[in-house]
Amino acid sequence: MVVWTQVNWRKLERIVYKLQKRIYQASLRGDVKAVRKLQKTLLNSWSAKMLAVRKVTQDNQGKNTAGIDGKKALTPNERLQLVHTLKLSNKSKATRRVWIPKPGKTEKRPLGIPTISERAKQALVKLALEPEWEAKFEPNSYGFRPGRSCMDAIEGIKAGIKQKSKYVLDADIAICFDKIDHEKLLNKINTFPKLRKQIKAWLKSGVYDNGAWFPTDEGTPQSGVISPLLANIALHGMEKIVKEFARTLPGKKDNNEKEITLVRYADDFVILHPKLDVLMRAKALIEEFLKDLGLELKPEKTRITHTLEKIGNETPGFDFLSFNIRQYPVGKYATGKNPHGKPLGYKTYIKPSKKAVKAHYHRLADEIDKLKSCQSQTELIKRLNPIITAWSNYYSKVNSADTFKELDHLLTLKLIAWAKARHLHKSTKRWIGKYFSTKDKSSWVFRAITEGKNVNLTYHSEFQIQRSVKVKPEVSPYNGDLTYWATRMGKSAELPTRVSKLLKKQNGKCTECNGYFRDEDVMEVDHILPLSKGGKHVYENYQLLHRHCHDIKTKTDGTLDKSQIIEEPCDAKVSRTVLKPSHAGDSVA
């Protein structure tokens, strides 16, 4: 008998992870027969189906977003029913299309929202398909892959230009997700017939937009659980093409291969090489590769520049993933020239892009303007601190010290104007003393006093610049080294500071289920002793939980009744799971 709130999830995760690990190892050694057999076992596994349903109904941010059937926020009993009906077929329900605005633009982009049952199927297929392709993906492919981030892509570029300045092809693929050729994608996946039919059904399912049905003859449905993986599979092979081309160039094959670098993050990529003619030939090869998939480069977002020198009207350096990467002449011979007319010394700097800095400042300014008259200084500080902390933490892995100082200066001027607007008829000395104080060597620290305690504004320059460590190219989350991945996650620039500290404190494990946090897990910061029981906002009272563990601890799934109990199926492929009552229900809610 199965009770959703009392499932031993850790045991189910171990069963599924062992199968994924075996799929990864078989794919790594090229044993296709073993890969297919293990994938079929996983797709029929009750444990995998349970995890897939939990992911889309409890963990995912879109769990309350309905598809065309209007279903959302399933009860525990409905989740169990979905598990028992979950199986692959050659059919799929259409997706519901919604249009969302692009950040900073008037145009909108389409999202296809599948039904919950289709999302669960996609999550199940992803559990089986991802380990196979993680063993195949190229080392400099970073977007939408477990354990890899934007900072890894930036570090990959930095490693490529560390020894030599290079020409850069900075490119973007035009409407990539909407134009991928279905037949070419299915041939590239090259899986067994039943899975191929299911993926084809998702690709051909069509969309409902404002009540009208439209066919989907090309592209992958955005917002689907499996869509990013399918896009990565479609674009797989770009790095191999340029590396093989480099080996054909005159000179040593190894040196030629090392000199050319392709770094891809989703549909954005850059190619780096010391010679312009080689770069142009590599661009032609990539265009031919994309054309075969029904894709092309976006002309307005494709440019050729140089990391150190000006080329025509193009300034040195380039922007990639909201970072500006550029080399500057430095040292004793910075102004000198070698026989080829190039500067003799340079240094590589990676900074937040001007666009990213401008967007961040405007967001801070908008928050200050919103709270001009009716809110207290303490409320303003509480609104600004999380924004500053998240942005500064993310960009603290690159050369951001000067940018942080500039932003602090602009922010202080904005806060002075905010304070002045509230006291137009009072002397400057009176309101300055009320809102600003001294700290360390600074005389303009925005500080409020609440209940006898100081509440300080967090400044960008308070964050120390720390070097990011690039992920090892040959490792994968499916290689079994969970300690390595948990340690990396704790150092990620993309996690909030509080979450990073708790990850280190808990050694990368959830305190509720004692299982390791993995890259795609949704984490919740929980109060050990609730505020209603006298708990406080201090680190000693915080713990980090999986979202589903947090749901159980706080009993958000409701009280147990007989309708939540359903018989567990006997699964010959996976040993029968003995479900023990969780101690989470005994925790303070």
Side-chain angles (χ1 to χ4, degrees), residues 175-453:
I175 47 178
C176 174
F177 293 95
D178 298 329
K179 288 290 184 181
I180 294 173
D181 185 282
H182 288 173
E183 202 60 34
K184 295 290 175 60
L185 173 59
L186 290 168
N187 291 338
K188 202 166 187 177
I189 295 172
N190 190 29
T191 189
F192 55 93
K194 190 173 183 179
L195 185 52
R196 179 189 171 97
K197 288 177 182 177
Q198 181 62 75
I199 295 173
K200 186 176 182 178
W202 287 328
L203 295 174
K204 301 289 187 182
S205 62
V207 295
Y208 273 96
D209 192 355
N210 292 324
W213 182 85
F214 297 93
T216 49
D217 297 322
E218 57 187 6
T220 60
Q222 294 190 48
S223 286
V225 177
I226 202 172
S227 299
L229 176 60
L230 296 181
N232 265 336
I233 293 173
L235 297 176
H236 170 68
M238 293 172 64
E239 186 175 0
K240 182 182 177 182
I241 285 174
V242 298
K243 291 289 185 182
E244 287 179 349
F245 159 67
R247 292 193 200 104
T248 64
L249 298 173
K252 294 184 179 179
K253 291 183 179 181
D254 291 342
N255 289 342
N256 289 338
E257 188 178 342
K258 289 178 182 177
E259 281 195 331
I260 195 164
T261 304
L262 186 146
V263 174
R264 181 175 65 84
Y265 190 93
D267 57 345
D268 292 339
F269 68 94
V270 295
I271 304 178
L272 308 159
H273 196 273
K275 296 180 180 179
L276 181 58
D277 61 323
V278 173
L279 194 70
M280 296 303 293
R281 289 163 67 187
K283 179 189 174 187
L285 289 172
I286 293 297
E287 287 176 329
E288 187 179 338
F289 170 84
L290 294 174
K291 186 178 180 181
D292 188 52
L293 292 168
L295 303 173
E296 61 182 2
L297 297 180
K298 190 181 292 186
E300 63 271 21
K301 286 194 174 182
T302 301
R303 60 191 287 257
I304 293 178
T305 182
H306 194 272
T307 57
L308 180 62
E309 301 171 13
K310 185 176 180 180
I311 303 177
N313 295 326
E314 296 287 353
T315 57
F318 61 100
D319 289 348
F320 189 67
L321 301 178
S322 298
F323 292 89
N324 178 260
I325 302 159
R326 181 177 172 179
Q327 293 171 328
Y328 296 84
V330 294
K332 183 178 179 180
Y333 301 103
T335 57
K337 300 283 184 178
N338 64 13
H340 301 288
K342 296 183 179 179
L344 294 173
Y346 65 86
K347 192 173 181 69
T348 302
Y349 283 96
I350 302 174
K351 304 177 182 180
S353 68
K354 290 182 179 179
K355 187 177 178 180
V357 173
K358 186 177 179 181
H360 175 60
Y361 174 72
H362 282 316
R363 187 182 176 191
L364 294 175
D366 288 344
E367 288 293 333
I368 294 170
D369 291 338
K370 287 178 187 175
L371 304 177
K372 251 182 182 177
S373 56
C374 59
Q375 299 293 337
S376 66
Q377 182 187 10
T378 304
E379 181 65 23
L380 176 59
I381 292 173
K382 287 181 179 179
R383 293 282 288 273
L384 294 179
N385 277 355
I387 300 172
I388 295 171
T389 299
W391 197 88
S392 302
N393 187 54
Y394 180 73
Y395 287 103
S396 64
K397 305 296 183 181
V398 295
N399 309 103
S400 304
D402 292 340
T403 304
F404 286 173
K405 288 179 182 178
E406 182 183 353
L407 279 168
D408 285 342
H409 174 68
L410 294 173
L411 182 60
T412 300
L413 294 178
K414 187 69 179 177
L415 290 171
I416 290 172
W418 176 85
K420 188 175 182 180
R422 293 163 67 91
H423 302 282
L424 291 175
H425 303 295
K426 293 184 180 180
S427 66
T428 304
K429 287 185 179 180
R430 289 183 63 184
W431 61 257
I432 284 180
K434 180 179 179 180
Y435 294 105
F436 293 90
S437 181
T438 58
K439 181 183 177 183
D440 298 330
K441 296 181 180 181
S442 177
S443 302
W444 291 92
V445 177
F446 199 63
R447 175 184 293 176
I449 300 176
T450 305
E451 298 178 356
K453 294 183 179 179

Side-chain angles (χ1 to χ4, degrees), residues 427-543:
S427 66
T428 304
K429 287 185 179 180
R430 289 183 63 184
W431 61 257
I432 284 180
K434 180 179 179 180
Y435 294 105
F436 293 90
S437 181
T438 58
K439 181 183 177 183
D440 298 330
K441 296 181 180 181
S442 177
S443 302
W444 291 92
V445 177
F446 199 63
R447 175 184 293 176
I449 300 176
T450 305
E451 298 178 356
K453 294 183 179 179
N454 290 329
V455 180
N456 293 338
L457 179 70
T458 301
Y459 286 90
H460 301 83
S461 53
E462 294 177 21
F463 290 81
Q464 294 183 347
I465 307 300
Q466 297 177 343
R467 184 177 176 272
S468 175
V469 179
K470 180 177 173 286
V471 65
K472 296 177 181 177
E474 71 279 359
V475 299
S476 166
Y478 300 106
N479 65 356
D481 191 356
L482 296 179
T483 305
Y484 171 80
W485 292 105
T487 304
R488 273 191 59 82
M489 191 184 296
K491 297 177 181 178
S492 173
E494 298 179 9
L495 287 179
T497 306
R498 182 168 60 174
V499 173
S500 296
K501 287 182 178 179
L502 290 173
L503 269 173
K504 293 174 186 176
K505 179 183 175 182
Q506 298 172 197
N507 296 319
K509 292 183 178 181
C510 172
T511 55
E512 196 68 27
C513 67
N514 203 35
Y516 279 105
F517 288 106
R518 295 173 67 181
D519 184 68
E520 295 185 352
D521 289 340
V522 182
M523 297 173 280
E524 298 274 5
V525 177
D526 175 65
H527 290 87
I528 298 171
L529 183 64
L531 301 178
S532 59
K533 301 287 185 180
K536 297 181 179 179
H537 290 292
V538 292
Y539 274 101
E540 290 74 17
N541 193 40
Y542 290 147
Q543 62 179 347

